[in-house]
Structure formats: C-alpha cells, structure tokens
Amino acid sequence: FMDIGSVGSWGEWNTAGAPEGFKLPAESTLNKIIDLYLENFTRTKLIMLIGGSLQYAIDHGAGYRADCLGDWGMWSDNWSHMTTIYPPAIADARAEEVWKKAPVLFEACNTMTTWYLDGMGSRFTREAARDTTIAQSLAWHISMMNPCYGPKFEKLPDEWIQAYLEWGKKMGYRFVLRNLAHPSRVNAGGQMPLRMDWENAGVAPCYYAHPLAVQFRNTVSRETWVVKTDADIREWMPGQVDYNTVVTVPDSLAPGEYELGLAMLERSGDSPRIKLAVEGADEDGWYRLSRVRVH
C-alpha cells in the first residue's frame, strides 16, 4: 500500500505539536493533495490516517490507518483513542465497511513492548487491556499492525509474545484449504472439474488479484505445467469459501502420473506468492496435495 501523507505534523493530517494558531489548509486544498495520490497510484492500494479529509479519500477507494492503538487513557483520564477518537472518526468517514475493498492498519500507542512494561492507561489489568485491544482491532478488520520501535520484545514474557503471534495469524487474510476433490483420471486436453472447500480464517480479504493456479508435475520427468483458474481471491471474505471450477488439462501432457499442486501466484508470472495455512508446501512454494493419472 501507499500512505497518503504530505500534510500536517509528521505528514499525518493533524497539527500536533505545531505552533499555537496553526491550522491545516482548506478542505478543497486537502482534497487536491489526495487527488495527486489517486491519480498516480492506480495499481496500489492507498490508505490515509484518520483525520484531515479522510472521508474524501474513503469515498475514492482508500483504506485507513490509525495511530495510538491500545490507548485506554495513557494521555488523559477524560479521553482515549480507543473510546473517544477512533469510533466517531470511523463513523464520520463512513469507513465501517471499507475493509472489504481496502486495507485497515494500526500503529501502537507507545510500543507493543511498553504495553507490558508501562501499562495501557486502563483500569483493567494489562492482560485484559491487551486482549480487549486485540479483539477490537480484529472487529475493525485489521490487516497490518505497526508495533513501533523498542524496547525489544525480549523484555516480554512468553505469554505476551504468544498472544501477539496469535493476533498476527488473524490479521488480514488467512487461507485454509479444507477439502480438495477431483477425478483420479483425466485425458490430456480434456476437462478436469475441481471442488475446493476453503476458509478465510482471517478478518479481511486479500486486496490484490493473485491467481489461484493448478500445477501438473510429471512424477518421472519432473516437468511442470501451470493452469490458472478463474478464482478472484479478492472476493474471498472471512468465513467459508466454496469454490468449484473446471480446468483444461494441457494437451501436451504425456500419459503417466502427475503430482497436482496448488498455489496463489505473483500477479505477473508463475511463481507462488501467498503462503497458505496448510501443510504440504514444497521448497518452490507449491502445495502438492494430490495426484492424478493422465491418459
């Protein structure tokens, strides 16, 4: 993704730390700056920090990010980012459903290490504040988290590290292949139906059209053929995904037994790009999960 910045303190669409009386430019000017990003990053997802003209960016396809995740009263007893800032800002920008088309990112308040060392400003235990923060970020359909700088995670107990690792598994997309069915015998140049039961065990889709492909690898010669399916994984929302398709078996396949592999590829080229949440990946990134005999 590309962050829409350029304005305000740290380019973050606010006036924090600015001289008294300093104001952001007019909304019309802010929107022109956003337009520059929209015009020049047509193949890359854009995100923008909460604030400024976020609604304008959201209305034109951008996602959002928010700093200070985990602030339950670190800076004030009267307000916090988690309760006072985020909910109305997301609502005002009509950003509740933006995660379906563009990413949502967060940055830690202080750092994810100081959450443990110094607390998070909550009247609850540090563990309860941590777990509530994690749960809320997932409810907002987080795709990526910036833990910020130091101190190093070595200062955290194992239980905290494990909680963060489990959190990471739930962010964004997490594709799990539950079932794969196909004929055991096919003809070269013929049709092979495929039935797949997938689960997106994450909280967001993948925002780029990585092709789902099938690979035939001869068990003797090790020669390979790749056939891309018509799957659009950008539409695979959290939950169960039933995908049925028919692929054409390459007519150049010699009779024999073939390993059947699956992979989600680079957007251009035939190299596997996305790791699946299943076992069976070879060193080249293909998941060879079955075999088929070609006649």
Side-chain angles (χ1 to χ4, degrees):
F1 63 90
M2 172 59 68
D3 189 273
I4 301 175
S6 305
V7 180
S9 300
W10 308 287
E12 293 183 339
W13 301 90
N14 61 59
T15 58
E20 185 177 352
F22 179 82
K23 296 181 180 180
L24 290 178
E27 184 175 352
S28 59
T29 301
L30 298 179
N31 292 347
K32 289 179 180 178
I33 295 171
I34 294 172
D35 285 339
L36 290 173
Y37 284 87
L38 295 170
E39 292 165 4
N40 287 281
F41 293 94
T42 58
R43 294 178 296 175
T44 303
K45 289 295 182 180
L46 293 167
I47 62 165
M48 180 174 161
L49 186 70
I50 284 179
S53 292
L54 178 61
Q55 182 177 323
Y56 183 82
I58 293 292
D59 289 345
H60 288 79
Y64 72 85
R65 72 178 180 90
D67 294 347
C68 243
L69 187 76
D71 166 32
W72 295 97
M74 293 182 182
W75 314 110
S76 172
D77 294 332
N78 301 320
W79 65 269
S80 72
H81 286 79
M82 296 297 294
T83 58
T84 315
I85 304 299
Y86 291 161
I90 294 170
D92 290 345
R94 298 194 296 267
E96 295 92 339
E97 301 293 313
V98 70
W99 63 273
K100 295 180 179 179
K101 296 295 183 181
V104 173
L105 293 82
F106 289 98
E107 181 178 282
C109 213
N110 286 335
T111 77
M112 285 166 54
T113 305
T114 60
W115 286 2
Y116 170 75
L117 296 175
D118 301 330
M120 304 166 71
S122 171
R123 66 181 184 277
F124 304 114
T125 65
R126 295 177 184 182
E127 287 72 20
R130 177 201 67 199
D131 293 344
T132 302
T133 300
I134 290 173
Q136 184 58 69
S137 75
L138 295 172
W140 282 323
H141 300 276
I142 181 176
S143 276
M144 195 184 83
M145 178 67 190
N146 176 13
C148 295
Y149 302 102
K152 294 182 178 180
F153 273 11
E154 284 86 343
K155 294 183 177 292
L156 299 180
D158 291 344
E159 188 270 333
W160 278 69
I161 295 293
Q162 190 59 39
Y164 288 158
L165 292 176
E166 291 302 316
W167 185 15
K169 290 180 181 179
K170 297 179 177 70
M171 294 181 195
Y173 57 85
R174 182 173 172 82
F175 295 132
V176 186
L177 179 63
R178 298 297 186 189
N179 185 59
L180 168 65
H182 61 84
S184 60
R185 298 173 181 268
V186 297
N187 294 318
Q191 302 294 297
M192 183 176 72
L194 288 172
R195 187 180 80 245
M196 303 183 206
D197 300 326
W198 291 85
E199 179 187 0
N200 181 353
V203 296
C206 177
Y207 299 107
Y208 293 103
H210 293 280
L212 173 64
V214 177
Q215 184 198 68
F216 296 85
R217 185 169 75 170
N218 190 287
T219 56
V220 178
S221 69
R222 317 304 282 177
E223 189 175 2
T224 61
W225 291 258
V226 173
V227 180
K228 295 179 181 178
T229 72
D230 60 358
D232 188 349
I233 65 172
R234 294 171 298 181
E235 298 178 355
W236 291 14
M237 296 296 162
Q240 182 176 333
V241 178
D242 298 324
Y243 176 63
N244 301 319
T245 192
V246 176
V247 300
T248 299
V249 180
D251 57 12
S252 57
L253 266 61
E257 190 172 25
Y258 289 78
E259 294 174 311
L260 195 65
L262 289 175
M264 293 179 179
L265 308 179
E266 296 281 0
R267 286 184 283 170
S268 59
D270 291 340
S271 298
R273 175 66 177 86
I274 294 177
K275 291 184 178 180
L276 306 179
V278 297
E279 296 180 349
D282 282 351
E283 291 182 358
D284 60 3
W286 285 91
Y287 293 79
R288 296 185 176 91
L289 304 175
S290 185
R291 293 197 174 199
V292 62
R293 180 162 289 276
V294 175
H295 294 277

